[in-house]
Amino acid sequence: MAPMARAGGKAILLGEHAVVYGIPALVVGLNRGVEAVARRPRNGMRSLRIGDMSPVSPDDDSILGKAFGALLEACSLDAPVVLEATSALPIGAGVGSSAALGVACARALAETFALPTSPELEQQRALAWERIFHGNPSGIDTAAAALGGCLFYTRGAPPEPLRLRRGFSVVLAFSGQSSDTKKMVDGIAKLREQKRALFEKQLDSIRSLVMNARLALEAGDLVGLGKLMDLNQMILSAWMLSTQEIEELCAIARDAGALGAKLTGAGGGGCVVALCDGSPKVILEAWERAGYQGFASPVGASLPDPFP
Ligand code: PMV
């Protein structure tokens, strides 16, 4: 039996979109993700199947077929292979399902074909796959899928794992609309062209929010972190990335005791992330009463709490 490879999804706490332009961002790995297994078939077949979707081959014209081809090429693998993956992450929801698929598949191929591997190689391979879907990914999703934990991420630099003073939970809910990351990223690029000076100021503001959020995480100041997430949401709304459902989900979460709430990922739909110190149950139930499904994912502390 070929071994099962896994990779987790992600939630961006602060800095999405700005991260594409070199501003740092904060991201956490989720306890939900993707499983993949690679087998060497007896025939000369090369195929990838995700869940109950039809299998694709690397020679297909479909986006998935092309991504599979890019992944095999990044792994320098031309042997026959049957790759199968299942995902527990919603697609087009800003929780990094495509990056988790890329990393899990890269891991499965490395296992079965005894390829050289490392977190850096996994990210490179998964990024080749991601580029087919997103054109110009910053790499934050693949870094979170490969490394997990809580990362301070700057495009082109090695991701920095943060040492957290206190653990917390992120609570996520799907707004009901999926969104297309490439379309949203292209929309922000147009906005940047139209309003260059204002956009640069907004990038500077996001940089300050992220730097302060990093300090808050390292100091265990979750109240401060939540406020910074709310402020980030205001800029994302000004960029027209929010929706009525996202605003509703944020308001419900804050009323139910979340320390902060914002969209996460590309926006225009997708998920909201709320910060929770304690049990996420109240927030999940409040969302459920309003007709939204959510889930919680813990983020563990990595330093002793001086103020337990
Ligand atoms: O793939 P998504 O929807 O989680 O978005 C990723 C975050 C963006 O900053 C919007 C894009 C990127 O490449 O960093």
Side-chain angles (χ1 to χ4, degrees):
M1 264 287 273
M4 184 72 80
R6 293 188 173 81
K10 65 97 192 32
I12 296 179
L13 295 181
L14 283 100
E16 50 273 272
H17 286 286
V19 70
V20 173
Y21 300 97
I23 303 298
L26 291 163
V27 64
V28 292
L30 299 178
N31 63 357
R32 289 193 177 198
V34 171
E35 291 186 340
V37 66
R39 284 183 293 108
R40 296 166 180 264
R42 284 185 212 287
N43 53 22
M45 196 173 173
R46 306 177 92 202
S47 76
L48 162 69
R49 188 160 62 84
I50 298 174
D52 17 337
M53 290 161 73
S54 315
V56 294
S57 102
D59 310 315
D60 284 1
D61 241 2
S62 66
I63 297 270
L64 192 56
K66 286 188 183 143
F68 181 34
L71 178 66
L72 292 177
E73 201 179 314
C75 293
S76 310
L77 194 72
D78 48 20
V81 55
V82 171
L83 197 49
E84 284 173 357
T86 50
S87 176
L89 296 167
I91 292 172
V95 289
S97 69
S98 68
L101 272 167
V103 170
C105 288
R107 284 182 176 158
L109 292 171
E111 288 267 9
T112 299
F113 293 90
L115 304 177
T117 192
S118 67
E120 289 72 33
L121 279 171
E122 285 172 359
Q123 287 173 70
Q124 272 170 31
R125 290 165 182 165
L127 209 52
W129 154 283
E130 274 281 271
R131 277 198 197 99
I132 305 293
F133 294 105
H134 299 326
N136 181 26
S138 65
I140 190 168
D141 289 20
T142 41
L147 301 170
C150 182
L151 305 175
F152 179 83
Y153 181 86
T154 309
R155 187 170 194 163
E160 273 182 72
L162 293 187
R163 285 162 64 75
L164 306 183
R165 244 327 144 189
R166 288 182 57 193
F168 55 88
S169 288
V170 286
V171 204
L172 292 109
F174 183 52
S175 67
Q177 295 143 339
S178 32
S179 89
D180 178 343
T181 301
K182 185 172 177 346
K183 208 170 108 198
M184 303 316 289
V185 169
D186 289 350
I188 295 299
K190 282 205 189 88
L191 185 83
R192 177 170 176 256
E193 287 311 310
Q194 286 159 4
K195 301 192 172 171
R196 198 59 179 249
L198 174 63
F199 191 84
E200 292 301 324
K201 284 195 179 132
Q202 288 165 327
L203 286 185
D204 274 348
S205 306
I206 294 176
R207 186 199 303 275
S208 307
L209 297 178
V210 171
M211 298 311 286
N212 280 292
R214 174 184 182 155
L215 294 176
L217 278 162
E218 288 173 336
D221 175 10
L222 298 181
V223 172
L225 175 64
K227 287 191 180 133
L228 294 162
M229 288 170 67
D230 287 345
L231 289 170
N232 193 172
Q233 170 65 13
M234 289 170 74
I235 301 177
L236 296 169
S237 302
W239 283 350
M240 309 302 282
L241 295 167
S242 196
T243 65
Q244 207 178 321
E245 290 77 11
I246 288 172
E247 293 301 323
E248 187 187 4
L249 281 164
C250 289
I252 295 172
R254 290 183 196 120
D255 284 351
L259 301 175
K262 59 182 275 296
L263 68 84
T264 188
C271 280
V272 157
V273 61
L275 181 69
C276 171
D277 183 12
S279 164
K281 198 163 164 247
V282 183
I283 300 170
L284 289 170
E285 284 174 356
W287 277 339
E288 211 171 313
R289 280 196 295 280
Y292 296 103
Q293 287 299 317
F295 67 95
S297 185
V299 183
S302 41
L303 283 175
D305 184 355
F307 316 111

